[in-house]
Amino acid sequence: MAKATKPADLRAKSADELQTLLLDLKKEQFNLRFQRATGQEEAVGRVRQVRREIARVKTVQHSQKIAASAAPKS
């Protein structure tokens, strides 16, 4: 995943898709950290990009959670 995901694209995803994306991003973040620790890091800017992607996904998840709880229950 080299290109940043736009917030509008994230809002269009379901909760399950967001959770899967978050899991993938966290795995990538772990791998990048591991590469940095072993001195094999190639994509220096990718660490920052992944961290921001994770924040975007979490923000959208939180927004969806709030919207679901605020929706009138029938």
Side-chain angles (χ1 to χ4, degrees):
M1 178 182 284
K3 191 174 178 184
T5 309
K6 294 184 180 183
D9 296 337
L10 291 175
R11 285 187 214 104
K13 293 183 184 267
S14 70
D16 290 336
E17 289 173 326
L18 286 173
Q19 190 62 34
T20 303
L21 180 59
L22 183 61
L23 184 63
D24 291 343
L25 287 168
K26 286 193 176 234
K27 285 179 184 177
E28 184 177 356
Q29 184 182 39
F30 173 79
N31 289 334
L32 289 169
R33 267 197 232 136
F34 197 85
Q35 286 176 6
R36 177 182 284 174
T38 59
Q40 299 173 0
E41 187 176 24
E42 295 174 9
V44 178
R46 185 67 183 141
V47 175
R48 184 178 185 182
Q49 204 175 25
V50 169
R51 191 174 67 235
R52 288 180 177 194
E53 284 288 317
I54 290 171
R56 280 187 193 102
V57 170
K58 285 184 174 183
T59 301
V60 171
Q61 282 180 326
H62 186 70
S63 299
Q64 287 180 350
K65 187 176 180 181
I66 290 173
S69 66
K73 298 182 181 182
S74 39

Short mmCIF file of all heavy atoms in Angstrom, two decimals:
data_model
loop_
_atom_site.label_atom_id
_atom_site.label_comp_id
_atom_site.label_asym_id
_atom_site.label_seq_id
_atom_site.Cartn_x
_atom_site.Cartn_y
_atom_site.Cartn_z
N MET A 1 0.85 -1.17 0.00
CA MET A 1 0.00 0.00 0.00
C MET A 1 0.90 1.23 0.00
O MET A 1 1.32 1.70 1.04
CB MET A 1 -0.90 -0.03 1.23
CG MET A 1 -1.78 1.17 1.34
SD MET A 1 -2.80 1.14 2.83
CE MET A 1 -4.00 -0.04 2.35
N ALA A 2 1.22 1.73 -1.14
CA ALA A 2 2.14 2.84 -1.25
C ALA A 2 1.42 4.19 -1.26
O ALA A 2 1.99 5.19 -0.91
CB ALA A 2 2.98 2.69 -2.50
N LYS A 3 0.17 4.20 -1.67
CA LYS A 3 -0.55 5.45 -1.80
C LYS A 3 -1.47 5.65 -0.60
O LYS A 3 -2.13 4.72 -0.14
CB LYS A 3 -1.36 5.41 -3.09
CG LYS A 3 -1.94 6.73 -3.48
CD LYS A 3 -2.60 6.65 -4.82
CE LYS A 3 -3.22 7.98 -5.19
NZ LYS A 3 -3.95 7.92 -6.43
N ALA A 4 -1.53 6.86 -0.10
CA ALA A 4 -2.37 7.17 1.05
C ALA A 4 -3.85 7.07 0.67
O ALA A 4 -4.26 7.43 -0.42
CB ALA A 4 -2.07 8.57 1.55
N THR A 5 -4.63 6.53 1.60
CA THR A 5 -6.06 6.40 1.40
C THR A 5 -6.74 7.71 1.79
O THR A 5 -6.44 8.27 2.84
CB THR A 5 -6.62 5.26 2.28
OG1 THR A 5 -5.84 4.10 2.06
CG2 THR A 5 -8.05 4.98 1.95
N LYS A 6 -7.66 8.15 0.97
CA LYS A 6 -8.36 9.39 1.25
C LYS A 6 -9.45 9.14 2.29
O LYS A 6 -10.05 8.06 2.33
CB LYS A 6 -8.98 9.94 -0.03
CG LYS A 6 -7.94 10.36 -1.05
CD LYS A 6 -8.56 11.00 -2.24
CE LYS A 6 -7.47 11.40 -3.22
NZ LYS A 6 -8.00 12.09 -4.37
N PRO A 7 -9.71 10.13 3.14
CA PRO A 7 -10.74 9.96 4.17
C PRO A 7 -12.12 9.60 3.59
O PRO A 7 -12.86 8.82 4.19
CB PRO A 7 -10.78 11.32 4.86
CG PRO A 7 -9.41 11.87 4.67
CD PRO A 7 -8.98 11.38 3.31
N ALA A 8 -12.47 10.14 2.44
CA ALA A 8 -13.76 9.83 1.83
C ALA A 8 -13.83 8.35 1.46
O ALA A 8 -14.89 7.72 1.60
CB ALA A 8 -13.98 10.69 0.59
N ASP A 9 -12.72 7.78 1.00
CA ASP A 9 -12.68 6.35 0.68
C ASP A 9 -12.85 5.51 1.94
O ASP A 9 -13.49 4.47 1.93
CB ASP A 9 -11.37 5.98 -0.01
CG ASP A 9 -11.21 6.66 -1.36
OD1 ASP A 9 -12.23 7.05 -1.96
OD2 ASP A 9 -10.05 6.80 -1.81
N LEU A 10 -12.25 5.98 3.03
CA LEU A 10 -12.37 5.25 4.29
C LEU A 10 -13.79 5.28 4.83
O LEU A 10 -14.29 4.29 5.35
CB LEU A 10 -11.41 5.84 5.33
CG LEU A 10 -9.93 5.63 5.09
CD1 LEU A 10 -9.11 6.36 6.14
CD2 LEU A 10 -9.58 4.15 5.08
N ARG A 11 -14.46 6.43 4.70
CA ARG A 11 -15.83 6.55 5.20
C ARG A 11 -16.79 5.64 4.44
O ARG A 11 -17.82 5.24 4.98
CB ARG A 11 -16.31 7.99 5.10
CG ARG A 11 -15.72 8.88 6.16
CD ARG A 11 -16.34 10.27 6.15
NE ARG A 11 -15.31 11.23 6.52
CZ ARG A 11 -14.69 12.03 5.68
NH1 ARG A 11 -14.99 12.05 4.41
NH2 ARG A 11 -13.75 12.85 6.11
N ALA A 12 -16.45 5.29 3.22
CA ALA A 12 -17.31 4.44 2.41
C ALA A 12 -17.17 2.97 2.78
O ALA A 12 -17.99 2.14 2.39
CB ALA A 12 -16.99 4.63 0.93
N LYS A 13 -16.17 2.63 3.56
CA LYS A 13 -15.93 1.23 3.93
C LYS A 13 -16.77 0.83 5.14
O LYS A 13 -17.13 1.66 5.96
CB LYS A 13 -14.45 1.01 4.25
CG LYS A 13 -13.54 1.16 3.04
CD LYS A 13 -12.12 0.87 3.42
CE LYS A 13 -11.19 1.09 2.25
NZ LYS A 13 -10.94 -0.09 1.48
N SER A 14 -17.03 -0.47 5.23
CA SER A 14 -17.78 -1.00 6.37
C SER A 14 -16.85 -1.13 7.58
O SER A 14 -15.62 -1.01 7.45
CB SER A 14 -18.37 -2.36 6.02
OG SER A 14 -17.33 -3.32 5.91
N ALA A 15 -17.44 -1.41 8.72
CA ALA A 15 -16.64 -1.55 9.95
C ALA A 15 -15.67 -2.72 9.84
O ALA A 15 -14.53 -2.63 10.30
CB ALA A 15 -17.58 -1.75 11.14
N ASP A 16 -16.10 -3.82 9.21
CA ASP A 16 -15.22 -4.97 9.05
C ASP A 16 -14.04 -4.65 8.13
O ASP A 16 -12.91 -5.07 8.38
CB ASP A 16 -15.99 -6.17 8.50
CG ASP A 16 -16.95 -6.75 9.52
OD1 ASP A 16 -16.73 -6.56 10.73
OD2 ASP A 16 -17.94 -7.38 9.09
N GLU A 17 -14.31 -3.92 7.06
CA GLU A 17 -13.24 -3.55 6.13
C GLU A 17 -12.23 -2.63 6.81
O GLU A 17 -11.02 -2.77 6.60
CB GLU A 17 -13.83 -2.85 4.90
CG GLU A 17 -14.60 -3.77 3.98
CD GLU A 17 -15.30 -3.02 2.86
OE1 GLU A 17 -15.75 -1.87 3.07
OE2 GLU A 17 -15.39 -3.58 1.76
N LEU A 18 -12.73 -1.71 7.63
CA LEU A 18 -11.84 -0.81 8.35
C LEU A 18 -10.98 -1.58 9.34
O LEU A 18 -9.79 -1.30 9.49
CB LEU A 18 -12.64 0.28 9.08
CG LEU A 18 -13.24 1.36 8.21
CD1 LEU A 18 -14.14 2.26 9.03
CD2 LEU A 18 -12.17 2.18 7.52
N GLN A 19 -11.59 -2.55 10.02
CA GLN A 19 -10.84 -3.34 10.99
C GLN A 19 -9.74 -4.15 10.29
O GLN A 19 -8.61 -4.23 10.79
CB GLN A 19 -11.78 -4.27 11.75
CG GLN A 19 -11.14 -4.95 12.93
CD GLN A 19 -10.65 -3.97 13.99
OE1 GLN A 19 -11.25 -2.92 14.22
NE2 GLN A 19 -9.55 -4.29 14.63
N THR A 20 -10.06 -4.71 9.13
CA THR A 20 -9.06 -5.46 8.36
C THR A 20 -7.93 -4.54 7.89
O THR A 20 -6.76 -4.90 7.99
CB THR A 20 -9.73 -6.13 7.14
OG1 THR A 20 -10.79 -6.96 7.60
CG2 THR A 20 -8.75 -6.94 6.34
N LEU A 21 -8.29 -3.36 7.41
CA LEU A 21 -7.29 -2.39 6.97
C LEU A 21 -6.40 -1.98 8.15
O LEU A 21 -5.17 -1.88 8.00
CB LEU A 21 -7.97 -1.17 6.36
CG LEU A 21 -7.06 -0.05 5.86
CD1 LEU A 21 -6.11 -0.56 4.78
CD2 LEU A 21 -7.90 1.11 5.34
N LEU A 22 -7.01 -1.75 9.30
CA LEU A 22 -6.23 -1.37 10.48
C LEU A 22 -5.25 -2.47 10.87
O LEU A 22 -4.09 -2.21 11.18
CB LEU A 22 -7.18 -1.06 11.64
CG LEU A 22 -6.54 -0.57 12.94
CD1 LEU A 22 -5.79 0.73 12.70
CD2 LEU A 22 -7.59 -0.40 14.01
N LEU A 23 -5.70 -3.69 10.82
CA LEU A 23 -4.83 -4.82 11.15
C LEU A 23 -3.65 -4.90 10.17
O LEU A 23 -2.50 -5.08 10.59
CB LEU A 23 -5.62 -6.13 11.12
CG LEU A 23 -4.88 -7.39 11.53
CD1 LEU A 23 -4.44 -7.30 12.98
CD2 LEU A 23 -5.77 -8.59 11.33
N ASP A 24 -3.93 -4.73 8.89
CA ASP A 24 -2.86 -4.75 7.87
C ASP A 24 -1.85 -3.62 8.10
O ASP A 24 -0.63 -3.82 7.98
CB ASP A 24 -3.45 -4.63 6.47
CG ASP A 24 -4.23 -5.85 6.05
OD1 ASP A 24 -4.07 -6.92 6.68
OD2 ASP A 24 -5.03 -5.74 5.09
N LEU A 25 -2.36 -2.43 8.43
CA LEU A 25 -1.48 -1.29 8.67
C LEU A 25 -0.61 -1.51 9.90
O LEU A 25 0.57 -1.17 9.91
CB LEU A 25 -2.29 0.00 8.81
CG LEU A 25 -2.89 0.54 7.52
CD1 LEU A 25 -3.90 1.64 7.82
CD2 LEU A 25 -1.81 1.06 6.59
N LYS A 26 -1.19 -2.10 10.94
CA LYS A 26 -0.41 -2.36 12.15
C LYS A 26 0.68 -3.41 11.89
O LYS A 26 1.79 -3.30 12.43
CB LYS A 26 -1.32 -2.79 13.29
CG LYS A 26 -2.10 -1.62 13.85
CD LYS A 26 -2.75 -1.97 15.15
CE LYS A 26 -3.44 -0.75 15.69
NZ LYS A 26 -3.00 -0.45 17.04
N LYS A 27 0.37 -4.39 11.04
CA LYS A 27 1.39 -5.38 10.68
C LYS A 27 2.52 -4.71 9.90
O LYS A 27 3.70 -4.98 10.12
CB LYS A 27 0.77 -6.49 9.83
CG LYS A 27 -0.05 -7.47 10.63
CD LYS A 27 -0.64 -8.54 9.74
CE LYS A 27 -1.54 -9.47 10.51
NZ LYS A 27 -2.18 -10.48 9.65
N GLU A 28 2.14 -3.83 8.98
CA GLU A 28 3.15 -3.12 8.20
C GLU A 28 4.00 -2.23 9.10
O GLU A 28 5.22 -2.15 8.95
CB GLU A 28 2.48 -2.27 7.10
CG GLU A 28 3.48 -1.59 6.20
CD GLU A 28 2.86 -0.80 5.07
OE1 GLU A 28 1.62 -0.82 4.92
OE2 GLU A 28 3.63 -0.15 4.35
N GLN A 29 3.36 -1.57 10.06
CA GLN A 29 4.09 -0.72 10.99
C GLN A 29 5.09 -1.55 11.80
O GLN A 29 6.23 -1.14 12.00
CB GLN A 29 3.11 -0.03 11.93
CG GLN A 29 3.77 0.95 12.88
CD GLN A 29 2.77 1.58 13.83
OE1 GLN A 29 1.85 0.93 14.31
NE2 GLN A 29 2.95 2.87 14.09
N PHE A 30 4.67 -2.72 12.23
CA PHE A 30 5.58 -3.60 12.97
C PHE A 30 6.77 -3.99 12.10
O PHE A 30 7.92 -3.96 12.55
CB PHE A 30 4.84 -4.86 13.44
CG PHE A 30 5.74 -5.88 14.07
CD1 PHE A 30 6.18 -5.73 15.37
CD2 PHE A 30 6.18 -6.98 13.34
CE1 PHE A 30 7.02 -6.66 15.95
CE2 PHE A 30 7.02 -7.92 13.91
CZ PHE A 30 7.44 -7.75 15.22
N ASN A 31 6.50 -4.37 10.85
CA ASN A 31 7.58 -4.77 9.94
C ASN A 31 8.55 -3.61 9.69
O ASN A 31 9.76 -3.82 9.62
CB ASN A 31 7.01 -5.29 8.63
CG ASN A 31 6.34 -6.63 8.78
OD1 ASN A 31 6.67 -7.40 9.68
ND2 ASN A 31 5.37 -6.91 7.93
N LEU A 32 8.01 -2.41 9.55
CA LEU A 32 8.88 -1.24 9.33
C LEU A 32 9.74 -0.96 10.56
O LEU A 32 10.91 -0.63 10.45
CB LEU A 32 8.03 -0.01 8.98
CG LEU A 32 7.40 -0.03 7.59
CD1 LEU A 32 6.38 1.10 7.45
CD2 LEU A 32 8.45 0.06 6.50
N ARG A 33 9.15 -1.11 11.74
CA ARG A 33 9.92 -0.93 12.97
C ARG A 33 11.02 -1.98 13.09
O ARG A 33 12.13 -1.69 13.51
CB ARG A 33 9.00 -1.06 14.19
CG ARG A 33 8.46 0.25 14.65
CD ARG A 33 7.93 0.10 16.06
NE ARG A 33 6.59 0.61 16.09
CZ ARG A 33 5.56 0.03 16.69
NH1 ARG A 33 5.69 -1.10 17.33
NH2 ARG A 33 4.38 0.58 16.66
N PHE A 34 10.68 -3.20 12.71
CA PHE A 34 11.65 -4.29 12.76
C PHE A 34 12.80 -4.01 11.78
O PHE A 34 13.97 -4.23 12.11
CB PHE A 34 10.96 -5.61 12.42
CG PHE A 34 11.72 -6.82 12.83
CD1 PHE A 34 11.61 -7.32 14.11
CD2 PHE A 34 12.57 -7.46 11.93
CE1 PHE A 34 12.32 -8.45 14.49
CE2 PHE A 34 13.28 -8.58 12.30
CZ PHE A 34 13.17 -9.07 13.58
N GLN A 35 12.46 -3.53 10.59
CA GLN A 35 13.49 -3.19 9.60
C GLN A 35 14.41 -2.09 10.13
O GLN A 35 15.62 -2.14 9.94
CB GLN A 35 12.84 -2.73 8.29
CG GLN A 35 12.24 -3.83 7.48
CD GLN A 35 11.54 -3.30 6.24
OE1 GLN A 35 11.60 -2.12 5.93
NE2 GLN A 35 10.85 -4.17 5.53
N ARG A 36 13.81 -1.10 10.79
CA ARG A 36 14.62 0.00 11.33
C ARG A 36 15.58 -0.52 12.39
O ARG A 36 16.76 -0.14 12.43
CB ARG A 36 13.72 1.08 11.92
CG ARG A 36 14.52 2.22 12.55
CD ARG A 36 13.67 3.26 13.17
NE ARG A 36 13.08 4.11 12.13
CZ ARG A 36 12.19 5.05 12.37
NH1 ARG A 36 11.75 5.26 13.59
NH2 ARG A 36 11.70 5.76 11.38
N ALA A 37 15.09 -1.41 13.24
CA ALA A 37 15.92 -1.94 14.33
C ALA A 37 17.08 -2.78 13.82
O ALA A 37 18.15 -2.81 14.42
CB ALA A 37 15.05 -2.77 15.28
N THR A 38 16.85 -3.47 12.69
CA THR A 38 17.91 -4.32 12.15
C THR A 38 18.75 -3.61 11.10
O THR A 38 19.65 -4.21 10.53
CB THR A 38 17.31 -5.60 11.54
OG1 THR A 38 16.40 -5.24 10.50
CG2 THR A 38 16.62 -6.44 12.59
N GLY A 39 18.46 -2.35 10.84
CA GLY A 39 19.24 -1.57 9.89
C GLY A 39 18.93 -1.86 8.44
O GLY A 39 19.72 -1.56 7.56
N GLN A 40 17.78 -2.44 8.15
CA GLN A 40 17.41 -2.79 6.78
C GLN A 40 16.38 -1.83 6.18
O GLN A 40 15.85 -2.09 5.12
CB GLN A 40 16.82 -4.20 6.74
CG GLN A 40 17.76 -5.27 7.21
CD GLN A 40 17.07 -6.62 7.31
OE1 GLN A 40 15.89 -6.74 7.03
NE2 GLN A 40 17.81 -7.63 7.70
N GLU A 41 16.09 -0.76 6.87
CA GLU A 41 15.03 0.14 6.44
C GLU A 41 15.35 0.78 5.08
O GLU A 41 16.44 1.30 4.87
CB GLU A 41 14.83 1.23 7.48
CG GLU A 41 13.64 2.09 7.21
CD GLU A 41 13.42 3.09 8.33
OE1 GLU A 41 14.37 3.41 9.04
OE2 GLU A 41 12.29 3.53 8.46
N GLU A 42 14.38 0.73 4.20
CA GLU A 42 14.54 1.32 2.87
C GLU A 42 13.63 2.53 2.70
O GLU A 42 14.06 3.57 2.24
CB GLU A 42 14.22 0.28 1.80
CG GLU A 42 15.20 -0.87 1.79
CD GLU A 42 14.80 -1.96 0.82
OE1 GLU A 42 13.87 -1.77 0.03
OE2 GLU A 42 15.44 -3.03 0.85
N ALA A 43 12.37 2.39 3.05
CA ALA A 43 11.40 3.46 2.87
C ALA A 43 11.24 4.24 4.17
O ALA A 43 10.37 3.96 4.98
CB ALA A 43 10.06 2.88 2.43
N VAL A 44 12.08 5.24 4.36
CA VAL A 44 12.09 6.01 5.59
C VAL A 44 10.77 6.76 5.80
O VAL A 44 10.22 6.78 6.89
CB VAL A 44 13.28 7.00 5.60
CG1 VAL A 44 13.28 7.83 6.85
CG2 VAL A 44 14.58 6.26 5.43
N GLY A 45 10.24 7.36 4.77
CA GLY A 45 9.01 8.13 4.87
C GLY A 45 7.77 7.29 5.07
O GLY A 45 6.72 7.79 5.49
N ARG A 46 7.85 6.02 4.78
CA ARG A 46 6.69 5.13 4.89
C ARG A 46 6.24 4.96 6.34
O ARG A 46 5.06 4.79 6.60
CB ARG A 46 7.02 3.77 4.26
CG ARG A 46 5.86 2.83 4.21
CD ARG A 46 4.78 3.30 3.26
NE ARG A 46 3.66 2.36 3.31
CZ ARG A 46 2.40 2.70 3.26
NH1 ARG A 46 2.06 3.97 3.10
NH2 ARG A 46 1.45 1.81 3.34
N VAL A 47 7.17 5.06 7.28
CA VAL A 47 6.83 4.92 8.70
C VAL A 47 5.81 6.00 9.08
O VAL A 47 4.78 5.72 9.70
CB VAL A 47 8.09 5.03 9.59
CG1 VAL A 47 7.73 5.03 11.06
CG2 VAL A 47 9.06 3.91 9.27
N ARG A 48 6.10 7.21 8.70
CA ARG A 48 5.21 8.34 8.99
C ARG A 48 3.87 8.17 8.28
O ARG A 48 2.81 8.43 8.85
CB ARG A 48 5.89 9.63 8.55
CG ARG A 48 5.14 10.87 8.87
CD ARG A 48 5.94 12.07 8.44
NE ARG A 48 5.29 13.29 8.84
CZ ARG A 48 5.74 14.49 8.56
NH1 ARG A 48 6.86 14.62 7.88
NH2 ARG A 48 5.09 15.55 8.93
N GLN A 49 3.91 7.74 7.05
CA GLN A 49 2.71 7.55 6.25
C GLN A 49 1.79 6.49 6.88
O GLN A 49 0.59 6.70 6.99
CB GLN A 49 3.12 7.11 4.84
CG GLN A 49 2.14 7.41 3.77
CD GLN A 49 2.73 7.05 2.39
OE1 GLN A 49 3.62 6.20 2.29
NE2 GLN A 49 2.23 7.68 1.37
N VAL A 50 2.36 5.39 7.32
CA VAL A 50 1.58 4.31 7.93
C VAL A 50 0.98 4.79 9.25
O VAL A 50 -0.19 4.52 9.54
CB VAL A 50 2.45 3.05 8.15
CG1 VAL A 50 1.75 2.04 9.02
CG2 VAL A 50 2.82 2.44 6.81
N ARG A 51 1.76 5.51 10.02
CA ARG A 51 1.26 6.02 11.30
C ARG A 51 0.04 6.93 11.09
O ARG A 51 -0.95 6.84 11.81
CB ARG A 51 2.38 6.77 12.03
CG ARG A 51 2.06 7.10 13.45
CD ARG A 51 3.23 7.72 14.19
NE ARG A 51 3.54 9.03 13.64
CZ ARG A 51 4.73 9.39 13.17
NH1 ARG A 51 5.74 8.55 13.17
NH2 ARG A 51 4.92 10.60 12.70
N ARG A 52 0.11 7.76 10.07
CA ARG A 52 -1.01 8.66 9.78
C ARG A 52 -2.21 7.91 9.23
O ARG A 52 -3.36 8.26 9.53
CB ARG A 52 -0.56 9.75 8.81
CG ARG A 52 0.35 10.73 9.49
CD ARG A 52 0.82 11.81 8.57
NE ARG A 52 1.64 12.74 9.32
CZ ARG A 52 1.98 13.93 8.89
NH1 ARG A 52 1.58 14.34 7.69
NH2 ARG A 52 2.72 14.73 9.62
N GLU A 53 -1.97 6.88 8.43
CA GLU A 53 -3.06 6.05 7.92
C GLU A 53 -3.80 5.38 9.08
O GLU A 53 -5.03 5.30 9.08
CB GLU A 53 -2.52 4.97 6.98
CG GLU A 53 -2.14 5.47 5.61
CD GLU A 53 -3.35 5.82 4.78
OE1 GLU A 53 -4.34 5.07 4.78
OE2 GLU A 53 -3.31 6.88 4.14
N ILE A 54 -3.05 4.88 10.04
CA ILE A 54 -3.66 4.24 11.21
C ILE A 54 -4.54 5.25 11.94
O ILE A 54 -5.67 4.93 12.34
CB ILE A 54 -2.57 3.66 12.15
CG1 ILE A 54 -1.92 2.44 11.48
CG2 ILE A 54 -3.16 3.29 13.51
CD1 ILE A 54 -0.70 1.91 12.21
N ALA A 55 -4.06 6.46 12.10
CA ALA A 55 -4.84 7.50 12.77
C ALA A 55 -6.11 7.81 11.99
O ALA A 55 -7.18 8.00 12.59
CB ALA A 55 -4.00 8.76 12.94
N ARG A 56 -6.01 7.86 10.67
CA ARG A 56 -7.20 8.13 9.85
C ARG A 56 -8.25 7.04 10.02
O ARG A 56 -9.44 7.32 10.16
CB ARG A 56 -6.81 8.22 8.37
CG ARG A 56 -6.24 9.53 7.98
CD ARG A 56 -6.04 9.61 6.45
NE ARG A 56 -5.21 10.75 6.14
CZ ARG A 56 -3.92 10.68 5.82
NH1 ARG A 56 -3.31 9.52 5.76
NH2 ARG A 56 -3.24 11.78 5.57
N VAL A 57 -7.81 5.79 9.98
CA VAL A 57 -8.73 4.66 10.11
C VAL A 57 -9.41 4.70 11.48
O VAL A 57 -10.63 4.54 11.59
CB VAL A 57 -8.01 3.32 9.89
CG1 VAL A 57 -8.90 2.15 10.26
CG2 VAL A 57 -7.55 3.19 8.44
N LYS A 58 -8.63 4.94 12.52
CA LYS A 58 -9.19 4.99 13.87
C LYS A 58 -10.19 6.15 14.01
O LYS A 58 -11.21 6.00 14.68
CB LYS A 58 -8.08 5.13 14.91
CG LYS A 58 -7.33 3.85 15.14
CD LYS A 58 -6.32 4.03 16.26
CE LYS A 58 -5.66 2.72 16.62
NZ LYS A 58 -4.73 2.89 17.77
N THR A 59 -9.89 7.27 13.38
CA THR A 59 -10.80 8.42 13.43
C THR A 59 -12.12 8.09 12.76
O THR A 59 -13.20 8.39 13.29
CB THR A 59 -10.16 9.64 12.76
OG1 THR A 59 -8.95 9.95 13.44
CG2 THR A 59 -11.09 10.84 12.78
N VAL A 60 -12.07 7.45 11.61
CA VAL A 60 -13.29 7.08 10.89
C VAL A 60 -14.07 6.04 11.69
O VAL A 60 -15.30 6.11 11.79
CB VAL A 60 -12.97 6.58 9.46
CG1 VAL A 60 -14.19 5.99 8.80
CG2 VAL A 60 -12.41 7.71 8.63
N GLN A 61 -13.37 5.08 12.28
CA GLN A 61 -14.05 4.07 13.10
C GLN A 61 -14.78 4.73 14.26
O GLN A 61 -15.93 4.40 14.55
CB GLN A 61 -13.04 3.06 13.66
CG GLN A 61 -12.60 2.01 12.68
CD GLN A 61 -11.61 1.04 13.30
OE1 GLN A 61 -10.80 1.40 14.14
NE2 GLN A 61 -11.70 -0.21 12.88
N HIS A 62 -14.13 5.68 14.90
CA HIS A 62 -14.74 6.37 16.04
C HIS A 62 -15.95 7.18 15.58
O HIS A 62 -16.99 7.18 16.25
CB HIS A 62 -13.71 7.26 16.72
CG HIS A 62 -14.21 7.91 17.96
ND1 HIS A 62 -14.46 7.20 19.11
CD2 HIS A 62 -14.51 9.20 18.25
CE1 HIS A 62 -14.90 8.03 20.04
NE2 HIS A 62 -14.94 9.25 19.53
N SER A 63 -15.83 7.85 14.45
CA SER A 63 -16.95 8.64 13.91
C SER A 63 -18.15 7.74 13.60
O SER A 63 -19.29 8.11 13.89
CB SER A 63 -16.53 9.38 12.64
OG SER A 63 -15.50 10.27 12.93
N GLN A 64 -17.88 6.58 13.02
CA GLN A 64 -18.96 5.65 12.70
C GLN A 64 -19.61 5.11 13.97
O GLN A 64 -20.82 4.96 14.03
CB GLN A 64 -18.44 4.49 11.86
CG GLN A 64 -18.12 4.87 10.43
CD GLN A 64 -17.61 3.70 9.61
OE1 GLN A 64 -17.32 2.63 10.13
NE2 GLN A 64 -17.48 3.92 8.31
N LYS A 65 -18.81 4.89 14.98
CA LYS A 65 -19.34 4.39 16.26
C LYS A 65 -20.26 5.43 16.89
O LYS A 65 -21.34 5.10 17.39
CB LYS A 65 -18.17 4.05 17.19
CG LYS A 65 -18.56 3.37 18.45
CD LYS A 65 -17.33 3.00 19.25
CE LYS A 65 -17.68 2.30 20.54
NZ LYS A 65 -16.48 1.96 21.31
N ILE A 66 -19.84 6.68 16.87
CA ILE A 66 -20.65 7.76 17.43
C ILE A 66 -21.94 7.92 16.63
O ILE A 66 -23.02 8.07 17.20
CB ILE A 66 -19.85 9.08 17.46
CG1 ILE A 66 -18.75 8.99 18.51
CG2 ILE A 66 -20.76 10.27 17.73
CD1 ILE A 66 -17.80 10.17 18.53
N ALA A 67 -21.83 7.86 15.30
CA ALA A 67 -23.01 8.01 14.45
C ALA A 67 -24.01 6.87 14.69
O ALA A 67 -25.21 7.09 14.69
CB ALA A 67 -22.60 8.06 12.99
N ALA A 68 -23.49 5.68 14.91
CA ALA A 68 -24.37 4.52 15.14
C ALA A 68 -25.08 4.64 16.48
O ALA A 68 -26.25 4.27 16.61
CB ALA A 68 -23.56 3.23 15.08
N SER A 69 -24.40 5.16 17.47
CA SER A 69 -25.02 5.28 18.79
C SER A 69 -25.99 6.46 18.86
O SER A 69 -26.92 6.45 19.65
CB SER A 69 -23.95 5.41 19.88
OG SER A 69 -23.25 6.62 19.74
N ALA A 70 -25.77 7.47 18.02
CA ALA A 70 -26.65 8.63 18.00
C ALA A 70 -27.88 8.42 17.12
O ALA A 70 -28.85 9.17 17.22
CB ALA A 70 -25.88 9.85 17.51
N ALA A 71 -27.83 7.41 16.26
CA ALA A 71 -28.96 7.14 15.36
C ALA A 71 -30.18 6.70 16.16
O ALA A 71 -30.05 5.96 17.14
CB ALA A 71 -28.58 6.06 14.35
N PRO A 72 -31.36 7.16 15.77
CA PRO A 72 -32.58 6.76 16.50
C PRO A 72 -32.82 5.26 16.36
O PRO A 72 -32.67 4.68 15.30
CB PRO A 72 -33.69 7.56 15.82
CG PRO A 72 -33.13 7.97 14.51
CD PRO A 72 -31.65 8.03 14.66
N LYS A 73 -33.13 4.65 17.48
CA LYS A 73 -33.37 3.21 17.48
C LYS A 73 -34.85 2.94 17.32
O LYS A 73 -35.68 3.55 17.98
CB LYS A 73 -32.84 2.60 18.77
CG LYS A 73 -31.36 2.80 18.89
CD LYS A 73 -30.79 2.19 20.12
CE LYS A 73 -29.29 2.49 20.10
NZ LYS A 73 -28.57 1.96 21.17
N SER A 74 -35.17 2.01 16.43
CA SER A 74 -36.59 1.71 16.22
C SER A 74 -36.93 0.33 16.65
O SER A 74 -36.17 -0.51 16.92
CB SER A 74 -36.95 1.87 14.75
OG SER A 74 -35.95 1.39 13.91
#
